[in-house]
Amino acid sequence: MSEVRVYGKIVDDHTRCVHYATELDIIAIRFACCDRYYPCHLCHSETADHPAQQWPREQWDRPAILCGNCWSELTISAYKATDECPECAAQFNPRCAAHSDLYFAGQ
């Protein structure tokens, strides 16, 4: 496992949290506002001392997604272009797209 720290209400070693814990909920997102990984927007809201900020479109080339299976970091662009980790082929939850606007500006 990586030395990357994930904050929030995590329930397992694959970054699943109390809010999202299906087989496919295995990513954490580095929040633009605090440069910390959280499993979801609710974990950030409940444990951070500031409001969340979206990643601006011009920064989607930065590593900001953590695969909870192999702990590889993906750029936002790479994450948004796939439903699985390019390193380990673990499947990601495609429903995360329903909350994408909470994390990424300029959809």
Side-chain angles (χ1 to χ4, degrees):
M1 185 182 295
S2 171
E3 290 186 32
V4 174
R5 181 165 178 197
V6 179
Y7 297 81
K9 299 177 179 181
I10 301 167
V11 297
D12 72 9
D13 291 338
H14 297 285
T15 75
R16 292 180 188 96
C17 67
V18 298
H19 308 106
Y20 299 100
T22 71
E23 181 79 15
L24 299 178
D25 289 317
I26 61 164
I27 64 139
I29 299 168
R30 184 191 315 257
F31 278 69
C33 47
C34 55
D35 202 34
R36 288 183 169 186
Y37 276 108
Y38 288 88
C40 75
H41 62 100
L42 296 170
C43 283
H44 182 276
S45 177
E46 292 174 0
T47 60
D49 62 358
H50 57 272
Q53 294 177 1
Q54 297 171 309
W55 281 100
R57 183 78 170 93
E58 60 272 9
Q59 292 184 21
W60 285 13
D61 61 341
R62 294 196 47 206
I65 307 298
L66 183 69
C67 174
N69 188 60
C70 70
W71 292 73
S72 294
E73 291 184 294
L74 289 74
T75 66
I76 297 164
S77 293
Y79 169 68
K80 290 180 74 58
T82 189
D83 285 334
E84 68 180 31
C85 178
E87 295 296 319
C88 70
Q91 296 289 304
F92 295 149
N93 189 341
R95 292 185 311 138
C96 286
H99 300 120
S100 187
D101 63 321
L102 298 173
Y103 308 110
F104 314 117
Q107 299 291 323

